[in-house]
Amino acid sequence: MSKKKVVVGVTGLNNIDSPGPGIPVIRALKDSEYFDVRIIGLSYETLEPGIYMHDLVDKTYQIPMPSAGTSSLLERIQYIHSIEKLDCIIPNFDAELHNFIKLSPTLKKDYQIATFLPELEQFESRHKSVLFEFGEKNDVKVPFAKMIFSPSEIYQLEDKFTYPLVVKGKYYDASIASTPEQAVSYVNKISAKWGYPIIIQEFVSGNEVNVTAIGDGKGKCIGAIPMRKLYITDKGKAWAGVSLEDNQLIEIANRVIANSKWRGGCELEFIKSNKGEYYLLEMNPRFPAWVYLSVGCGQNHPEALLKMALGIDVKAFESYESGKLFIRYAYDQIVSLSEFEKISTFGEL
Amino acid sequence: MYVNKNLAISDTGFIFNPSTGDSFSTNEVGKFIIDLLKQKKSKEEIISQIVLHFNVDKVNADKDLSDFFAMLKSYQLMLDENE
């Protein structure tokens, strides 16, 4: 059977120490036995390593930063589409999703570019700042949390929280504070980078386990793979991990996806308390950077997402292999100055 | 007391717990005991088998087996019946 040729735009080419999911998503699509993919990389910065991985990324175009808004993004996509004839775009950054979700109907209607993203309401409902309410609505335990808008509010929280507590940025970063002074210092540090609000969350002691999952938007969980980090970098990112066999966790993941009618890929971050209870710490609205493990375990989640985006029927995966490990590595690419010049000057490579 | 039925143990004594992702290495005696536990043998039956196959008396086998069980429990490889 000949493979279906498709052109897919993918963001998140920053395969660095805190990696974006773009390259793992591309590897998964390249492994597909159904699709023959041409990958169009969509980059933000000239030093994103994926730009120069020509065996994985066929052509790269720079796109405007999310803060530039939807109209400049649409204008750039129009230009890219006029050359590449994109069939689908898979965005992989939290911060850009808002723009892509807003553009998604226009991309489909006017340019026949498919996406497979949650509705704006679903996207907002799992935001860190309202995760506690999300947990109540979807019947999953979530540590108590509260948003703050200035460091001084830390001292007003003493009747609601005990120490240690977790200080979280609205998109990224989290630190465990043992004293109010430490909490104030983390609030200042994280807000300087990501702005307000800052989320203050109850600390739950236990082991962290994560799930990469995909929902069809109609209440069906197409696949879910639980993983425990075996080696964590100083940025808290998994450098190695192993797939787990955990029916309870799969059942919770299915429930969250079903109740929220989640559309697209996501990462559910849990902590298993010392009493064996699962608490949802975060729901990231896109695939995690370790999503290629899903392929290793027998569930190609990015391929399933691409199929659903293109309107191809996908059946839910029924099994996966536990005990599969992923181990990252660092690799120095040699890049000619002329290549760097092209992406820096023309925004294309 | 029982061991996780899904516990994977290789011929070389490498143990993988698929529920937690933890892995361990054990020696020949440890592997022998875990294999018997997976067959749902009682503590008394395991002690008899150890005395039969290894150069150890019943008192020492009992004491060492209790220590080994405590270690298995601490690593969540062995659970009480009600867990």
Side-chain angles (χ1 to χ4, degrees):
Chain A
M1 190 187 81
S2 65
K3 292 183 181 183
K4 184 178 171 64
K5 284 185 186 291
V6 283
V7 183
V8 185
V10 181
T11 68
L13 307 181
N14 56 330
N15 212 37
I16 54 172
D17 59 341
S18 177
I23 294 301
V25 165
I26 294 166
R27 285 183 70 200
L29 295 178
K30 291 272 182 187
D31 279 4
S32 171
E33 288 181 4
Y34 188 88
F35 293 112
D36 177 5
V37 288
R38 172 170 162 80
I39 296 292
I40 304 303
L42 304 172
S43 68
Y44 290 102
E45 290 178 11
T46 52
L47 287 176
E48 290 178 24
I51 298 170
Y52 308 96
M53 295 179 178
H54 302 308
D55 52 334
L56 292 172
V57 181
D58 297 286
K59 175 93 191 252
T60 299
Y61 295 85
Q62 280 211 301
I63 56 172
M65 295 296 271
S67 55
T70 50
S71 53
S72 52
L73 176 61
L74 181 61
E75 201 178 304
R76 185 64 174 154
I77 292 173
Q78 282 169 336
Y79 168 75
I80 298 166
H81 186 59
S82 70
I83 302 165
E84 302 294 345
K85 307 287 176 245
L86 295 164
D87 293 300
C88 181
I89 296 179
I90 304 179
N92 289 299
F93 281 124
D94 298 22
E96 70 186 2
L97 282 177
H98 194 271
N99 286 345
F100 276 103
I101 292 171
K102 282 182 90 172
L103 284 183
S104 157
T106 311
L107 292 176
K108 184 72 193 163
K109 188 167 160 277
D110 297 346
Y111 305 97
Q112 291 77 53
I113 302 173
T115 53
F116 202 71
L117 298 167
E119 301 286 331
L120 207 51
E121 193 185 334
Q122 291 175 322
F123 174 74
E124 297 292 352
S125 74
R126 42 51 51 195
H127 200 277
K128 283 182 197 183
S129 54
V130 289
L131 190 71
F132 189 68
E133 291 78 5
F134 179 86
E136 283 186 327
K137 205 169 147 189
N138 292 297
D139 195 20
V140 55
K141 286 191 170 78
V142 173
F144 178 66
K146 202 167 176 342
M147 271 188 289
I148 63 165
F149 296 86
S150 83
S152 61
E153 286 183 60
I154 286 290
Y155 297 100
Q156 295 156 20
L157 296 177
E158 285 179 354
D159 57 331
K160 295 187 178 71
F161 289 92
T162 55
Y163 284 86
L165 49 74
V166 188
V167 181
K168 287 183 159 184
K170 65 175 170 181
Y171 290 123
Y172 304 102
D173 276 350
S175 294
I176 299 165
S178 304
T179 62
E181 291 71 28
Q182 220 175 26
V184 168
S185 142
Y186 289 139
V187 169
N188 286 327
K189 201 170 152 190
I190 295 173
S191 64
K193 210 166 163 188
W194 302 109
Y196 284 101
I198 292 284
I199 294 99
I200 304 298
Q201 195 176 56
E202 173 194 359
F203 175 77
V204 179
S205 162
N207 287 318
E208 192 183 326
V209 279
N210 297 346
V211 178
T212 179
I214 177 168
D216 70 352
K218 297 170 194 157
K220 198 199 286 175
C221 180
I222 298 297
I225 303 282
M227 177 279 293
R228 194 186 129 201
K229 295 174 185 177
L230 294 178
Y231 188 98
I232 301 173
T233 67
D234 55 0
K235 288 191 175 168
K237 303 295 167 189
W239 197 258
V242 62
S243 61
L244 303 177
E245 183 181 298
D246 193 324
N247 292 337
Q248 194 189 348
L249 200 52
I250 295 289
E251 194 269 319
I252 296 172
N254 272 281
R255 193 164 69 230
V256 172
I257 298 280
N259 290 356
S260 63
K261 292 196 168 50
W262 188 260
R263 190 169 192 264
C266 67
E267 180 188 27
L268 300 161
E269 297 186 5
F270 292 95
I271 198 122
K272 188 177 187 180
S273 76
N274 299 332
K275 287 181 187 165
E277 293 174 314
Y278 284 104
Y279 286 81
L280 181 65
L281 296 183
E282 267 178 40
M283 181 177 185
N284 295 317
R286 36 82 199 152
F287 287 129
W290 56 273
V291 68
Y292 192 70
L293 181 67
S294 75
V295 182
C297 294
Q299 296 188 1
N300 191 331
H301 289 183
E303 181 197 50
L305 181 139
L306 181 56
K307 280 184 176 173
M308 289 192 286
L310 298 175
I312 300 163
D313 190 39
V314 172
K315 287 198 174 73
F317 294 104
E318 286 172 357
S319 62
Y320 67 91
E321 240 183 289
S322 62
K324 283 276 182 184
L325 285 86
F326 75 87
I327 303 168
R328 288 200 178 126
Y329 66 101
Y331 182 91
D332 298 343
Q333 295 191 93
I334 303 302
V335 173
S336 68
L337 191 61
S338 66
E339 285 201 320
F340 184 65
E341 181 194 334
K342 271 183 199 160
I343 190 77
S344 304
T345 313
F346 302 111
E348 293 180 24
L349 181 65
Chain B
M1 301 276 269
Y2 68 98
V3 284
N4 182 340
K5 66 176 174 14
N6 298 322
L7 214 61
I9 180 160
S10 75
D11 291 342
T12 59
F14 183 81
I15 303 164
F16 174 67
N17 184 350
S19 307
T20 62
D22 290 325
S23 54
F24 308 88
S25 286
T26 185
N27 62 12
E28 186 192 350
V29 189
K31 182 182 177 310
F32 182 79
I33 295 166
I34 292 172
D35 284 341
L36 291 172
L37 280 168
K38 288 186 91 172
Q39 294 166 35
K40 298 195 182 316
K41 301 288 183 195
S42 68
K43 188 177 179 188
E44 285 66 37
E45 286 173 304
I46 296 172
I47 292 169
S48 307
Q49 289 293 317
I50 293 172
V51 172
L52 196 68
H53 288 86
F54 300 95
N55 186 22
V56 64
D57 61 60
K58 198 176 169 188
V59 174
N60 276 313
D62 189 347
K63 182 178 158 297
D64 289 349
L65 187 63
S66 296
D67 288 347
F68 189 62
F69 277 5
M71 192 161 67
L72 291 178
K73 274 198 79 173
S74 74
Y75 290 136
Q76 297 175 47
L77 297 174
M78 194 176 192
L79 304 163
D80 289 327
E81 288 300 335
N82 55 354
E83 283 184 88

